[in-house]
Amino acid sequence: METILVKIDEESPDLDAIARAGEIIKKGGLVAFPTETVYGLGGDALNPDSSRKIYAAKGRPSDNPLIVHICRWEDIYKIADPVPEAAKKLADAFWPGPLTIILNKTDLVPKETTGGLDTVAIRFPVDKTAQLFIEAAGGFVAAPSANVSGKPSPTLAQYVAEDMDGRIEMILDGGEVGIGLESTIVSLTGDEPIILRPGYVTKEMLEKVLHKVDVDKTILDMNCHERPLAPGMRYKHYAPKGDLTIVEGSLDAVTEAICQKSCAAKATGEKVGIIATDETVSRYEKNSRADSIKSVGSRTDEDAVGHSLYRILREFDDEEVTVIYSESFSDSGFGQAIMNRLLKAAGHHVETV
Ligand code: TXA
Ligand code: MG
């Protein structure tokens, strides 16, 4: 299959191209598209064959449910029942935006889309191209992140092409995404609202609207052996090819330890990458002998860190780095999402100094 890549300017989108993308979805094909979080791999959420194709293209286990993307808030009533008051409040506050809400599904949504579950994850993205595309596709687009299973989610169309070329019909290239980490997922199907995956919409923000929100305890606890509630969080995920270690402690101790570890790894022939910050990058440049040192931005700017993390992990893959050391970040606010993804990328390998 030939994969067509079409550039879309969000300011003045090529509506013909978006209409063609919508037709592909309606005929059961697959199209990757930009959202404000990461690129999605879209198929018709109401067509079981499309969902099967998504799993095949990603190499993803079919018990890992997909998120259904909508472009009109009232469409939630077609795919979820009941729609509790809490869902309306969240939608009012955060939709369109980087929040996914899990509710009980209606019969309209096939189990192929929900990985066999009776619940459905629903998201209304704010990205203009995403909205136009979902509309053109009939209003219900199932979309996981557009990476091959086990790789970091794509933040650029070029990474989608690397993973999906020849496997899908079309890629809508909307440039680099804004947020860079996947949406917050909150489930409203139990007694209390609970965050299954942290993201840009933080626990603190959700609690302003819903009073009390729990967090799946497997998210940040490195020693928790219980199964995460979101099936996708159970798989090793977001993993770069190089062996990633997070080093935690005071900033001086961390930079010194990373420099030492990097020199030792160089001595045994490894190709070393370091995830640094604006505050520390020059220290590594002087003392680490690492092959590739990349700053994720300033430690005080969580948005910048979240925005660059996956791109940097992909760049290390391209550079065939074999060992990666990363500084650790605060795990409050959006930092919770950053640390969650970093811990998963590292297979929870953390050294405290
Ligand atoms: O930002 C995002 O959410 C991106 C963009 C494309 O919208 N999508 C995304 O999808 O990250 P995906 O498939 O890579 O991650 C969806 C996560 C998985 O961990 C999956 O197990 C979980 O959501 N999930 C989906 N439906 C669920 C359900 N009914 N119950 C529990 N977890 C669910
Ligand atoms: Mg994913």
Side-chain angles (χ1 to χ4, degrees), residues 7-247:
K7 281 209 178 350
I8 302 286
D9 174 4
E10 206 179 343
E11 299 305 315
S12 62
D14 176 347
L15 295 177
D16 285 344
I18 290 175
R20 266 187 287 141
E23 283 309 311
I24 292 172
I25 298 293
K26 286 179 176 164
K27 287 193 189 123
L30 305 182
V31 175
F33 63 102
T35 81
E36 66 275 24
T37 56
V38 297
Y39 274 80
L41 171 57
D44 181 352
L46 309 184
N47 179 346
D49 286 336
S50 299
S51 295
R52 281 190 208 105
K53 280 190 199 164
I54 292 176
Y55 288 114
K58 264 186 80 82
R60 170 171 177 155
S62 59
D63 63 350
N64 186 1
L66 308 173
I67 295 175
V68 178
H69 295 67
I70 59 175
C71 60
R72 280 176 297 262
W73 129 241
E74 60 278 14
D75 283 346
I76 192 175
Y77 292 102
K78 298 191 183 144
I79 53 176
D81 187 30
V83 177
E85 200 54 36
K88 292 180 201 161
K89 285 189 184 159
L90 287 183
D92 247 2
F94 302 109
W95 277 2
L99 177 71
T100 296
I101 303 174
I102 297 182
L103 298 173
N104 289 316
K105 77 172 193 72
T106 63
D107 290 341
L108 190 64
V109 186
K111 286 222 171 162
E112 283 77 359
T113 300
T114 63
L117 299 176
D118 292 323
T119 56
V120 59
I122 309 168
R123 168 155 137 72
F124 179 178
V126 72
D127 183 279
K128 188 88 180 74
T129 306
Q131 290 182 1
L132 290 168
F133 163 64
I134 297 163
E135 169 97 55
F140 301 94
V141 173
S145 49
N147 51 293
V148 163
S149 218
K151 285 235 236 164
S153 298
T155 54
L156 286 162
Q158 143 200 354
Y159 297 143
V160 178
E162 272 173 26
D163 283 12
M164 292 298 155
D165 196 34
R167 300 182 186 209
I168 63 178
E169 279 81 356
M170 194 188 248
I171 299 170
L172 297 175
D173 177 356
E176 190 167 13
V177 299
I179 294 176
L181 297 182
E182 306 84 348
S183 62
T184 306
I185 301 180
V186 61
S187 172
L188 298 179
T189 59
D191 294 338
E192 298 283 351
I194 179 164
I195 295 172
L196 307 189
R197 180 173 73 182
Y200 194 74
V201 176
T202 63
K203 175 178 157 73
E204 293 76 15
M205 288 159 75
L206 292 168
E207 286 191 331
K208 284 205 176 116
V209 179
L210 287 191
H211 185 57
K212 187 173 177 303
V213 179
D214 292 332
V215 181
D216 182 351
K217 58 175 177 290
T218 64
I219 294 296
L220 286 174
D221 181 353
M222 283 161 248
N223 303 311
C224 185
H225 297 298
E226 285 178 43
R227 279 159 73 84
L229 295 168
M233 302 295 276
R234 289 173 201 151
Y235 300 101
K236 182 162 190 260
H237 215 181
Y238 318 115
K241 288 183 203 150
D243 195 9
L244 170 59
T245 303
I246 303 168
V247 183

Side-chain angles (χ1 to χ4, degrees), residues 25 248 312 324 349:
I25 298 293
E248 200 176 54
I312 286 178
I324 306 167
H349 188 192

